[in-house]
Amino acid sequence: MNHQALIQQFIKMLNNLDAILAKVPAYADAKKFDPAVLLGARLAPDQFSLTRQVQIACDTAKLSASRLSGKDAPVHEDNEKTLEELRARIQSVVAYLSGFSEKDFSGAGERKVSLPRWEGKTLTGDEYFVHHAIPNLFFHVTTAYAILRHNGMDIGKKDYLGSLPLKG
């Protein structure tokens, strides 16, 4: 299991999401609306709101690390009602992820991982990481980004990607 791929990339994407959310108050102030309005925004009537997208992105990151390392994940009650509470949740998950080392994932690729949605079935750790953890995290971060972009926020690919380790 690649520690860098899991921990560093998941931390990076959560930090990028946090940085995007940090721009919401200024945008709302400039447009003269309550930023809380965006927390319930969604791309389609049957899709989760911005709040739930952030919660699931956080859950995916922490539960992936937990399932692959065998360590307990922190519990979040899914009761965030404000932008500040959502950002605090992101920061708490980043702090949790920051506590892992490469050693914590020794043998993770072969670990059997089960998911509540597919009761009685398992994936290897490698399969889980490639086929569920990565796409699920990116899906929910992307959807949160898209909700804000759809609602007129001036954010772009550089906000989504964050800083890159460019050379030269």
Side-chain angles (χ1 to χ4, degrees), residues 11-26:
I11 287 173
K12 178 183 177 172
M13 293 311 296
L14 289 176
N15 280 333
N16 294 351
L17 179 57
D18 185 50
I20 290 168
L21 292 176
K23 295 180 176 194
V24 168

Side-chain angles (χ1 to χ4, degrees), residues 29-90:
D29 187 52
K31 297 292 187 181
K32 308 277 189 263
F33 69 88
D34 181 355
V37 169
L38 291 175
L39 299 179
R42 55 187 76 222
L43 292 176
D46 65 344
Q47 194 170 35
F48 288 134
S49 68
L50 176 63
T51 294
R52 193 72 186 118
Q53 299 295 340
V54 173
Q55 291 168 337
I56 296 172
C58 289
D59 287 352
T60 298
K62 73 180 182 184
L63 292 173
S64 295
S66 172
R67 288 175 177 136
L68 292 168
S69 69
K71 292 185 173 189
D72 290 336
V75 174
H76 294 93
E77 299 298 325
D78 293 340
N79 58 2
E80 293 86 6
K81 301 267 187 265
T82 67
L83 189 61
E84 294 77 19
E85 290 172 344
L86 282 175
R87 293 190 63 214
R89 180 170 177 157
I90 292 171

